[in-house]
Amino acid sequence: MSVLGDLARVRERPQVYLRIIARTISKGSLLETLKSRFPFRLPDAQFPRIVALEFTNFCNLRCPYCASQTGPVRGQRGFMTDATFSRIRSQLLELPLQTLRVIGGGEPTAHPRYAQYAAQLRGVASISTLTTNGQLFSEKNSRQTATSFDIVEISVDGSDAAEYEKYRVGGSFQKLLKGIELLRSAAAQERSKMLLHIRIMLKVSDVERVSDLRRFWEQHADSVSVQHLFDRTGTSTNLFTILPKVEGSFRQCEYPFKAMGICWNGDVPLCPAIEERLKVSDGGVLLGNVNHESLLEIWHGRSLRQYRKAHRTCQPSGAPLCVGCNDVWGQTNAGGRRT
């Protein structure tokens, strides 16, 4: 059951998830929340519960294990325009949105208008989160970050300069620590309740020292978790082995029932979970573009309804791009149905 998956996530990142749960209960629509929590048993939700927003697909780092910055996955590099951002923001304000995640294939704070966009997103959702590498914080944008986001998640490698800079190519360990200091100081000065969360990118060589890594980063954050890095190319011996795709297998996934991702250019792809599915130039995965259709038109569009029906009824023929996929949301993470 998906409840087991929820409990596992809460155990790993208790402060993050408990804050999300509390905000959902206090501000969200209970009926719509239940629809997204039990998508295979209840009618479709009227709107997405989670929206992931990509300011840019450009990143200032070149982490060797990150597929998002390879040409075939990233595609054309670009930055969201003010017109696209304004259109998205106005539509999000019309929704009782639970979670807004500023994330994507690039580094959000690298957008020239990051601080202005962050300020305008305040209050758009019950919970707003930022995922960043923490390299580009300044006194100005750290204040804006602390007052705009409920949760800031910073991804890190190792616990010293040598290891961090080996895997975060182009990054500086000292700049990271300085950025964290700026962010925490800004939160204190602004009396912000922002939660600073560190995500340790865990490799095979880190397994024996997870406790040491946690202890180090707990000095710099409100909460710490680990994220296992999987070898999606079959070329690394220091990343965890991903389960092989089983030809013809089909696993129910909750993603199309609860979440929507918006790329920097307004494209809305079907699924961000597998690298091949990020190729929005492939007509089979592009649901629409917010510059030409509204978010709700895309959410209730024929393609997404088709994929929801296929996952609800466990019919692979209706969701061909999901056949063989192991990167699923929700029930299948805890042993849900599979054919």
Side-chain angles (χ1 to χ4, degrees), residues 202-336:
L202 196 72
K203 298 170 286 295
V204 173
S205 57
D206 297 327
V207 170
E208 299 299 324
R209 59 191 187 112
V210 171
S211 296
D212 292 337
L213 291 171
R214 282 183 176 276
R215 275 193 293 270
F216 176 82
W217 289 110
E218 282 169 356
Q219 305 172 73
H220 301 280
D222 299 306
S223 64
V224 175
S225 67
V226 299
Q227 178 174 321
H228 291 73
L229 292 171
F230 291 96
D231 179 16
R232 300 186 183 280
T233 63
T235 58
S236 175
T237 58
N238 198 29
L239 301 183
F240 295 92
T241 302
I242 193 168
L243 288 173
K245 291 184 179 181
V246 179
E247 187 174 353
S249 70
F250 183 76
R251 306 179 71 181
Q252 286 180 300
C253 179
E254 295 182 1
Y255 183 85
F257 295 90
K258 64 176 57 176
M260 174 181 283
I262 308 174
C263 299
W264 65 270
N265 60 355
D267 280 345
V268 179
L270 170 66
C271 174
I274 302 294
E275 279 70 19
E276 289 80 3
R277 289 159 174 73
L278 286 172
K279 298 179 183 177
V280 295
S281 58
D282 179 350
V285 300
L286 185 59
L287 297 175
N289 185 292
V290 296
N291 291 304
H292 310 299
E293 306 160 82
S294 73
L295 289 173
L296 287 183
E297 285 174 334
I298 297 171
W299 182 251
H300 294 291
R302 184 174 64 180
S303 295
L304 202 44
R305 284 189 286 111
Q306 171 190 318
Y307 271 79
R308 288 194 197 107
K309 181 179 179 181
H311 280 280
R312 178 177 283 122
T313 59
C314 212
Q315 295 295 322
S317 60
L321 292 172
C322 301
V323 175
C325 177
N326 284 319
D327 233 332
V328 295
W329 276 43
Q331 294 196 358
T332 39
N333 290 334

Side-chain angles (χ1 to χ4, degrees), residues 27 36 44 55 163 216 263 280 324:
K27 296 184 178 182
S36 67
D44 291 351
F55 287 174
E163 186 173 8
F216 176 82
C263 299
V280 295

Side-chain angles (χ1 to χ4, degrees), residues 150-154 180-181 183-184 193-198 220-224:
D150 300 286
I151 301 169
V152 175
E153 297 189 308
I154 299 180
I180 291 173
E181 181 183 334
L183 194 55
R184 299 189 77 178
K193 294 183 179 180
M194 178 205 78
L195 182 72
L196 179 59
H197 180 78
I198 295 288
H220 301 280
D222 299 306
S223 64
V224 175

Side-chain angles (χ1 to χ4, degrees), residues 6 8 33 56 75 82 101 133-134 138 185 211 220 254 295 309 313:
D6 288 344
T33 298
T56 178
D82 288 353
R101 302 185 67 208
N133 58 41
S138 63
S185 176
S211 296
H220 301 280
E254 295 182 1
L295 289 173
K309 181 179 179 181
T313 59

Side-chain angles (χ1 to χ4, degrees), residues 113-124:
R113 304 253 310 150
Y114 162 74
Q116 291 88 343
Y117 287 1
Q120 293 179 63
L121 290 175
R122 188 185 303 126
V124 163

